[in-house]
Amino acid sequence: MIGDGGRMETEAINAAEFFAGIGLVRTALEPLGVKVVWANDIKQAKYEAYRANYPDAEKHFKVDDIRNVVGDQLKTLSRLELATSSFPCIDLSLAGNRRGLVGEQSGMFWQFARVLDEMSEEIRPRVVLLENVHGFATSHGGQDLTDALARLSQLGYSLDVLAIDAKHFVPQSRPRMFIVGVLPADLPNNAHVGVPVVSDVRPAWVTAIHAKNQDKIKMHYLDLPDLPVGPTDLSGVIEYGAPESLWWDQQRVKAFVDSLSDGQRLRFEALRTSDALSYRTAYRRTRQGVSMWELRRDAIAGCLRTTGGGSSKQALVELGFGREPRVRWMTPREYANLMGATEYRLIAGTPNQQLFGFGDAVVVDVVRWIGKHYLLPVLRPDNKAGN
């Protein structure tokens, strides 16, 4: 395609965004030339946040249960090449009910596969990208993942599995696994068969998945660069201009400190009396039926969660110079920053809805890294813009 001035332009990669949430997959991939032409989520509040950042969502975003989506609805999309799916993790998470793919929420994987199956081979996306928690790999002794890979293989895809912790990009520990499915005709020349060597994107438990399934399911892998070294503290994500009124009063801070275990209090005091200002995040935990606060050992955030109650929200603690400690809940802007969505506009929904949306989303930098080093080399092998 020739653009203005005779400059060669790469044709956009048309994508469908299943379980789109607030749109962070789009935020990640759009700068790489991906154009979302269809999106779906069941939550109206998430759609409102998505539309506030991408007004064209009014034309292509379907707010509905995926069980009501049929493949025919996507057949009119021009050259659909990519489908992404961040299907619910609640039944797969170690913190969830572990019902796996028979669960009401995580079982929506089968609906995603059904929609792909209803699309003819001529319009089925060339590549699919799925994201979920590490618990997917161990659910029902690993059988859920094997069944999912087999279903995608039946649809014609060759599969690869990756594991990436967001801490390589942002100051948040957020380990996630990804499945990349590629139609065989689109596998690049440098795609390998067999079991990949252990690396930071394919730790031993991932290579074991390849070894277990390679004789039953078409699988491949691509060589990928090492992950970057991520930030080691929260300095780049804190909303320093947050209202002073958000900081808790002395009585509430005292209750926070009093709830700490002996070991936690030693850590707290060491940071409070140090000659440097530091920030830590904290979660409420229930230990032997007692609600307690726990201060994170390192200086990055724990994994953000959907806000279903106080125990799922993350607090920010300011300590140092022997001063009185300060504690408050993290803000929606800080959640956005921790998800790599630093430019995301917080103009829709309540603060709690915003926290929920980010806690249920993908980290922008992680998906963009996959897009640059995996999706583009497959879908646009001659495009050097992502290098």
Side-chain angles (χ1 to χ4, degrees):
M1 178 185 299
I2 306 295
D4 294 340
R7 180 175 60 87
M8 289 297 296
E9 293 182 350
T10 302
E11 188 174 0
I13 297 170
N14 287 344
E17 194 179 2
F18 290 79
F19 310 100
I22 62 173
L24 296 198
V25 169
R26 175 171 176 170
T27 301
L29 297 181
E30 195 168 64
L32 301 181
V34 173
K35 179 182 179 182
V36 174
V37 295
W38 185 90
N40 161 254
D41 201 277
I42 195 172
K43 298 285 189 180
Q44 181 69 27
K46 291 182 179 180
Y47 164 69
E48 298 295 343
Y50 190 115
R51 185 181 61 176
N53 284 269
Y54 299 106
D56 66 345
E58 292 183 353
K59 301 175 182 178
H60 72 255
F61 198 114
K62 182 177 179 63
V63 183
D64 201 354
D65 190 320
I66 191 175
R67 287 172 287 198
N68 298 326
V69 175
V70 294
D72 280 352
Q73 295 171 354
L74 284 77
K75 70 180 182 181
T76 59
L77 302 178
S78 175
R79 292 191 69 236
L80 183 63
E81 297 183 79
L82 172 66
T84 66
S85 174
S86 298
F87 63 100
C89 69
I90 189 169
D91 300 305
L92 298 169
S93 172
L94 296 179
N97 56 45
R98 297 295 278 171
R99 294 196 65 212
L101 293 186
V102 300
E104 179 71 16
Q105 300 291 328
S106 299
M108 292 300 103
F109 163 81
W110 302 114
Q111 296 298 322
F112 169 67
R114 173 190 57 78
V115 175
L116 292 178
D117 195 17
E118 290 173 353
M119 301 171 70
S120 66
E121 293 184 7
E122 291 76 21
I123 63 171
R124 190 170 296 155
R126 298 163 58 195
V127 175
V128 294
L129 173 66
L130 291 82
E131 176 264 354
N132 216 287
V133 295
H134 284 189
F136 191 8
T138 56
S139 178
H140 290 148
Q143 190 59 48
D144 279 345
L145 179 58
T146 294
D147 291 345
L149 293 173
R151 183 69 182 102
L152 294 170
S153 181
Q154 290 171 0
L155 294 171
Y157 293 102
S158 177
L159 289 313
D160 192 2
V161 180
L162 312 173
I164 301 177
D165 193 326
K167 69 181 182 180
H168 289 278
F169 301 90
V170 295
Q172 178 195 174
S173 176
R174 193 179 186 87
R176 291 293 184 267
M177 63 175 293
F178 297 84
I179 300 172
V180 185
V182 181
L183 294 178
D186 292 297
L187 284 173
N189 293 332
N190 62 345
H192 307 289
V193 294
V195 181
V197 299
V198 172
S199 66
D200 54 2
V201 294
R202 296 187 185 90
W205 65 269
V206 169
T207 64
I209 292 169
H210 281 261
K212 174 184 176 181
N213 294 290
Q214 64 172 336
D215 295 332
K216 300 174 289 186
I217 299 169
K218 185 171 181 58
M219 299 194 73
H220 71 276
Y221 65 93
L222 299 187
D223 295 323
L224 294 168
D226 293 336
L227 294 172
V229 177
T232 58
D233 62 54
L234 296 164
S235 59
V237 302
I238 292 173
E239 186 179 6
Y240 294 101
E244 284 294 314
S245 59
L246 295 180
W247 294 99
W248 298 351
D249 60 30
Q250 289 183 342
Q251 183 177 358
R252 192 172 183 184
V253 172
K254 182 180 184 301
F256 172 92
V257 175
D258 288 345
S259 79
L260 297 174
S261 67
D262 291 343
Q264 289 278 321
R265 197 167 303 183
L266 286 174
R267 182 183 306 159
F268 180 92
E269 280 300 310
L271 292 168
R272 188 186 70 82
T273 57
S274 71
D275 58 359
L277 188 67
S278 61
Y279 293 90
R280 291 292 190 274
T281 58
Y283 271 125
R284 261 207 316 259
R285 310 284 194 188
T286 300
R287 304 298 186 195
Q288 299 180 337
V290 178
S291 179
M292 305 175 67
W293 279 99
E294 290 188 3
L295 202 65
R296 189 170 173 89
R297 183 181 300 275
D298 57 21
I300 67 174
C303 185
L304 299 183
R305 307 174 187 173
T306 55
T307 49
S311 62
S312 64
K313 293 171 67 176
Q314 201 154 174
L316 181 70
V317 185
E318 181 186 87
L319 300 162
F321 301 119
R323 300 189 310 213
E324 289 298 315
R326 299 207 298 173
V327 186
R328 64 167 170 80
W329 294 118
M330 298 195 82
T331 67
R333 173 50 58 197
E334 288 164 343
Y335 267 47
N337 294 343
L338 284 169
M339 298 301 288
T342 55
E343 303 300 320
Y344 198 89
R345 292 180 292 174
L346 302 173
I347 55 177
T350 66
N352 216 45
Q353 287 173 329
Q354 292 166 352
L355 295 177
F356 188 102
F358 288 114
D360 204 27
V362 299
V363 172
V364 170
D365 305 75
V366 174
V367 175
R368 187 169 295 162
W369 187 90
I370 295 173
K372 177 180 178 180
H373 296 292
Y374 207 125
L375 304 183
L376 280 187
V378 171
L379 293 170
R380 293 293 182 271
D382 297 325
N383 178 22
K384 307 302 182 183
N387 294 333

